[in-house]
């Protein structure tokens, strides 16, 4: 032993120490260490390369190119060329970047970093197959490295190959379950695939690992909102908005969550704040206008809808703005303008398969066979069937409706005196022109609402069992739970207690898959069957009480006395433009579309909590009167 002490093996070289600091996010300290080192060791290629990495991390690609070039001149290490290539790519010098990356690939073909860099360059050049091959080569060299799976998954997602991307990103998560970035990537790809329910737990992992990161919280909140978990979404989005109050997307999602719960004033504050952050954004204007319309501030809403139409940057966004304005016009009774603008939905909703190849019918008398087709929900189809007879006066009609409507519509064919033929999708090609049912008011020039009630003898009523003196009441308290804003129109079964106290009535459920154990009174379940079966059931009832679902349209068509329990800020079909204005004092509103339908609305929310107390009290009184008659 000569008495000299050897340096511990754990002591890092200056370049290594600087890169370790950079990896920890301390770029300033890394740069300071390197500057001091390079002043004394100007020929240390590793040091200059580390300085290039610091420059790239700070967004200074120009400096990174110069520094990496100096490192290459001192010692042409292959991984120096990788850094040089990526810096050149960031400056847009794609061909020079490819040349530098090619040096690295040829020099060290077993280094996955070289192939990864080449993949980025090939993608930038639009050579996607070459980019994919490079990424798969990198993955084959390091199949257990999570980073390689993530790089390939992200590439596939960018190329629109989302199903493949999901499979690869799932492998990345499986390799190291605690890796936050892998969970985040997997969640984002699942979101892109429309699988938000599966994405939510992964967004949750990221949010819990980064509780002070507003973007992580916002992503998790949006995923919870998509699953209708409104209270959880509200809490996490509120925290995100507190941490970063100037992020319009977060304020928007928070506003929509509040709106879905019927808390319109809170929604107005959040959606208004989002709009003011980016007033040129058409979608933010639409969201804000929608909540203002629901609050009855229709003039302000109209201004915003028109702004959105002018500022929209895509056909779809302009169509959404026009369609929102159409709904506002229809709600106010401005039907001529409303029907014309309602046509904008054709830019959002593709027609059924085979229909798009047919020319549009203009509504004039023609010898051609016209295909009329249904779109959107069953309630819309039922409402607009009234126009089929008018169309049949001008042309021979083929009528295409969803399978659930076929047997019902088949019973209506005698009403149209042989001028209407029910068809299948396979028969669409036999028609010569086409028109959506929802376009008929505009094409036919029928401006105002009008009542239509086909002969109820077409539907033999199903007699509900029970004592003859009992009032037979059809009851529907909830809509489709898949609808994002269904909570606003639906009533929790426990709240139906006021109806349970009405004497002399017998209840029949009019909604499928209902948990009747939660209903606070005896009620018969809805038998299985299609719409015709439900129609026959309703035909045998005395009255119907329902929230805003297809059931109201069906009962109205049958002329059944019906009470609609409408949410505050409800649909245009039940707004003031569609109700009879000359009513006795204190009387319920009466629909112009269905004269047998009366309407009671939720009052404005009190302390931000919408309440069904008043509509249900009115319904109980209405039923009690009907039972006494």
């Amino acid at each position: 032993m000569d008495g000299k002490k050897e340096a511990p093996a754990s002591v890092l070289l200056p370049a290594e120490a600087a890169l370790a600091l950079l990896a920890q996010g301390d770029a300033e300290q890394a740069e300071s260490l390197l500057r001091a080192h390079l002043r004394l060791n100007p020929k240390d290629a590793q040091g200059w390369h580390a300085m290039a990495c610091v420059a790239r991390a700070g967004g200074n690609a120009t400096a990174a190119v110069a520094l990496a070039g100096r490192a290459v001149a001192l010692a042409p290490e292959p991984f120096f060329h990788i850094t040089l290539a990526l810096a050149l790519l960031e400056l847009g010098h794609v061909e020079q970047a490819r040349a530098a990356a090619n040096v690295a690939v040829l020099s060290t073909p077993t280094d996955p970093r070289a192939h990864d860099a080449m993949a980025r360059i090939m993608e930038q050049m639009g050579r996607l197959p070459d980019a994919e091959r490079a990424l798969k080569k990198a993955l084959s060299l390091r199949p257990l490295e999570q980073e390689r799976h993530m790089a390939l998954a992200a590439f596939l997602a960018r190329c629109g190959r989302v199903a493949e991307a999901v499979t690869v990103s799932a492998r990345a998560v499986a390799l190291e379950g605690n890796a936050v970035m892998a969970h985040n990537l997997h969640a984002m790809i699942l979101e892109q695939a429309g699988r938000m329910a599966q994405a939510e737990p992964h967004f949750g992992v990221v949010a819990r690992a980064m509780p002070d990161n507003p973007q992580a919280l916002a992503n998790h909140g949006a995923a919870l909102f998509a699953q209708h978990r409104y209270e959880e979404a509200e809490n996490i989005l509120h925290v995100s908005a507190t941490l970063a109050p100037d992020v319009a997307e977060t304020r928007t999602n928070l506003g929509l969550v509040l709106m879905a719960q019927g808390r319109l004033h809170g929604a107005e504050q959040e959606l208004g704040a989002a709009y003011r952050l980016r007033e040129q954004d058409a979608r933010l204007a639409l969201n804000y206008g929608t909540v203002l319309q629901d609050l009855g501030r229709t003039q302000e809403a109209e201004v915003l809808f028109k702004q959105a139409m002018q500022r929209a940057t895509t056909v779809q966004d302009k169509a959404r703005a026009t369609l929102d304005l159409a709904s506002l016009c229809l709600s106010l009774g401005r039907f001529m303008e409303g029907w014309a603008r309602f046509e904008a939905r054709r830019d959002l909703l593709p027609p059924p398969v085979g229909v798009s190849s047919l020319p549009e019918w203009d509504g004039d008398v023609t010898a051609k066979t016209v295909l009329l087709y249904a779109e959107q929900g069953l309630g819309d189809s039922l409402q607009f069937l009234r126009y089929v007879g008018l169309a049949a006066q001008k042309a021979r009609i083929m009528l295409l409706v969803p399978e659930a409507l076929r047997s019902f519509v088949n019973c209506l064919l005698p009403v149209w005196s042989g001028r209407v033929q029910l068809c299948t999708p396979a028969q669409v090609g036999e028609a010569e022109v086409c028109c959506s049912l929802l376009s008929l008011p505009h094409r036919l020039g029928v401006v105002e609402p009008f009542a239509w009630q086909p002969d109820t003898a077409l539907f033999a009523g199903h007699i509900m069992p029970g004592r003859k003196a009992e009032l037979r009441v059809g009851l529907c308290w909830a809509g489709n739970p898949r609808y994002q804003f269904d909570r606003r129109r639906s009533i929790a079964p426990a709240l139906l207690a006021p109806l349970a106290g009405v004497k002399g009535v017998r209840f029949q459920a009019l909604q499928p898959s209902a948990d009747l154990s939660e209903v606070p009174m005896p009620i018969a379940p809805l038998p299985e069957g299609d719409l015709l079966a439900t129609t026959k059931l309703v035909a045998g009832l005395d009255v119907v009480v329902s929230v805003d679902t297809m059931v109201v349209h069906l009962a109205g068509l049958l002329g059944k006395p019906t009470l609609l329990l409408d949410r505050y800020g409800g649909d245009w079909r039940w707004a003031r433009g569609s109700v009879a204005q000359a009513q006795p004092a204190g009387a319920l509103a009466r629909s112009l579309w269905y004269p047998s339908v009366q309407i009671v609305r939720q009052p404005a929310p009190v302390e931000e909590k919408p309440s069904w107390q008043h509509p249900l009290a009115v319904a109980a009184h209405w039923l009690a009167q009907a039972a006494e008659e």
Side-chain angles (χ1 to χ4, degrees):
M1 298 291 290
D2 58 6
K4 292 182 180 179
K5 293 183 179 179
E6 294 184 4
S10 60
V11 173
L12 297 177
L13 295 173
E16 295 172 334
L19 291 176
L21 287 167
L22 183 63
Q24 296 167 15
D26 195 347
E28 185 177 350
Q29 183 62 26
E31 182 177 358
S32 177
L33 186 157
L34 287 168
R35 286 188 182 281
H37 170 70
L38 290 169
R39 276 196 297 271
L40 299 175
N41 302 276
K43 293 187 178 182
D44 181 8
Q46 297 283 354
W48 290 112
H49 173 257
M51 185 68 90
C53 292
V54 172
R56 271 196 70 219
N60 191 345
T62 301
V65 168
L67 292 164
R70 188 162 184 175
V72 167
L74 289 167
E77 295 284 349
F79 65 93
F80 293 178
H81 285 89
I82 296 174
T83 301
L84 176 60
L86 294 174
L88 286 166
L89 183 65
E90 288 158 8
L91 290 174
H93 304 324
V94 183
E95 187 54 43
Q96 296 95 316
R98 187 201 62 77
N102 197 47
V103 172
V105 170
L106 293 174
S107 302
T108 53
T110 58
D111 187 344
R113 297 173 298 175
H115 296 284
D116 182 77
M118 184 61 81
R120 297 191 202 183
I121 296 163
M122 291 295 101
E123 184 177 359
Q124 185 69 28
M125 296 176 76
R127 294 168 56 178
L128 300 183
D130 290 332
E132 184 176 352
R133 276 191 290 272
L135 286 168
K136 288 183 174 178
K137 177 63 178 178
L139 179 58
S140 71
L141 291 167
R142 297 287 191 278
L144 298 181
E145 275 189 9
Q146 191 175 59
E147 180 183 354
R148 302 302 154 212
H149 293 272
M150 291 172 64
L152 178 58
F155 168 79
L156 292 170
R158 289 194 297 273
C159 293
R161 295 161 60 184
V162 183
E164 297 171 76
V166 167
T167 301
V168 177
S169 63
R171 291 187 196 130
V173 171
L175 281 170
E176 189 180 341
N178 295 325
V180 172
M181 291 303 101
H183 281 281
N184 191 60
L185 176 65
H186 189 47
M188 293 177 69
I189 295 174
L190 285 167
E191 180 182 12
Q192 187 179 344
R195 295 161 60 178
M196 191 61 99
Q198 294 166 276
E200 183 275 320
H202 298 282
F203 278 132
V205 169
V206 180
R208 287 187 291 274
M210 308 171 72
D212 296 324
N213 186 301
Q215 186 59 58
L217 297 174
N219 288 341
H220 191 208
L224 291 167
F225 175 43
Q227 293 186 74
H228 304 187
R229 292 162 61 181
Y230 301 129
E231 288 77 12
E232 296 171 79
E234 179 187 347
N235 290 337
I236 199 167
L237 288 169
H238 179 75
V239 175
S240 179
T242 301
L243 291 170
D246 293 336
V247 179
E249 289 77 11
T250 304
R251 303 295 292 270
T252 294
N253 283 333
L254 180 54
L256 293 175
V257 166
L258 294 170
M259 192 172 176
Q261 297 176 77
R263 295 163 57 188
L264 299 183
H265 293 291
E268 185 273 331
Q269 292 177 8
E270 294 300 328
L271 296 174
Y275 167 71
R276 287 185 286 275
L277 286 168
R278 288 209 310 261
E279 293 190 0
Q280 296 303 313
D281 191 314
R283 295 188 182 188
L284 299 183
L286 282 186
N287 289 330
Y288 189 31
T290 299
V291 72
L292 290 177
Q293 180 179 349
D294 279 0
L295 286 167
R297 294 161 61 178
T298 53
Q299 290 183 330
E300 297 169 76
E302 183 167 355
V303 169
L304 287 166
F305 294 154
K306 289 180 177 178
Q307 279 183 7
M309 289 169 61
Q310 295 169 353
R311 296 170 180 173
T313 56
T314 67
V315 171
Q316 291 76 19
D317 282 351
K318 185 172 183 178
R320 290 186 188 96
T322 307
L323 196 54
D324 282 352
L325 181 56
S327 295
L328 184 145
C329 292
L330 294 172
S331 72
L332 296 175
R334 291 157 45 187
F335 288 100
M336 183 174 291
E337 180 183 359
W339 294 133
R341 296 191 185 278
F342 200 46
E343 292 295 279
R345 74 191 187 285
R346 293 167 56 200
D347 289 324
L348 297 173
L349 302 169
V353 176
V355 175
S356 58
S357 61
L358 294 174
E360 288 286 333
W361 180 45
D362 59 10
D364 291 338
V365 174
T366 181
K368 295 179 179 179
T369 300
V370 178
L371 175 73
L372 298 182
Y373 61 90
E375 60 172 281
Q376 301 191 47
L378 295 182
D380 295 299
S381 299
L382 291 175
Q383 180 183 1
F384 284 81
L385 280 173
R386 72 193 64 221
Y387 296 98
V388 172
L390 298 176
Q393 295 174 18
K394 297 190 173 188
R396 183 166 293 279
I397 301 297
M398 293 176 64
L399 184 57
L400 180 65
V401 297
E403 186 62 32
L405 272 174
R406 284 185 62 82
S407 58
F408 172 84
V409 173
N410 191 57
C411 291
L412 291 176
L413 294 181
V415 173
W416 297 313
S417 305
R419 297 282 293 174
V420 178
Q421 169 194 346
L422 190 61
C423 71
T424 66
Q427 296 172 299
V428 164
E430 299 175 19
E432 297 165 278
V433 291
C434 69
C435 181
S436 164
L437 284 177
L438 274 63
S439 291
L440 286 176
H442 177 61
R443 304 287 173 85
L444 298 175
V446 182
V447 176
E448 301 292 336
F450 67 92
W452 180 66
Q453 183 184 337
D455 185 358
T456 54
L458 297 169
F459 308 101
H462 169 83
I463 303 302
M464 184 178 176
R467 293 189 297 273
K468 191 172 183 180
E470 288 180 316
L471 185 75
R472 297 163 296 180
V473 180
L475 183 61
C476 180
W477 59 91
N480 186 342
R482 292 190 297 273
Y483 174 51
Q484 184 66 269
F485 295 92
D486 181 65
R487 185 185 290 193
R488 287 184 60 191
R489 67 173 175 179
S490 294
I491 303 174
L495 298 179
L496 299 172
L499 305 186
V502 180
K503 304 297 184 183
V505 301
R506 188 175 182 85
F507 289 100
Q508 165 68 58
L510 291 179
Q511 57 188 71
S513 305
D515 183 359
L516 302 186
S517 65
E518 298 181 6
V519 180
M521 64 276 208
I523 188 167
L526 180 66
E528 292 186 5
D530 62 6
L531 184 64
L532 179 58
T534 302
T535 303
K536 292 180 177 181
L537 180 64
V538 172
L541 299 173
D542 296 310
V543 299
V544 171
V545 176
S546 176
V547 295
D548 182 9
T549 71
M550 175 273 294
V551 167
V552 178
H553 295 275
L554 180 60
L557 276 180
L558 296 175
K560 287 293 170 183
T562 301
L563 183 63
L564 166 61
L565 309 177
D566 198 19
R567 65 177 172 86
Y568 180 72
D571 190 78
W572 64 265
R573 291 164 179 80
W574 320 115
R576 72 180 191 224
S578 290
V579 300
Q581 297 302 314
Q583 296 283 344
L588 297 171
R590 189 173 292 276
S591 170
L592 294 175
W593 298 99
Y594 308 104
S596 68
V597 173
Q598 294 177 280
I599 305 164
V600 56
R601 295 192 175 89
Q602 272 186 333
V606 177
E607 297 181 355
E608 275 298 276
K609 293 182 179 180
S611 172
W612 288 106
Q613 182 178 354
H614 171 69
L616 287 169
V618 171
H621 180 69
W622 187 81
L623 286 176
Q625 286 186 315
E628 292 174 0
E629 293 176 357

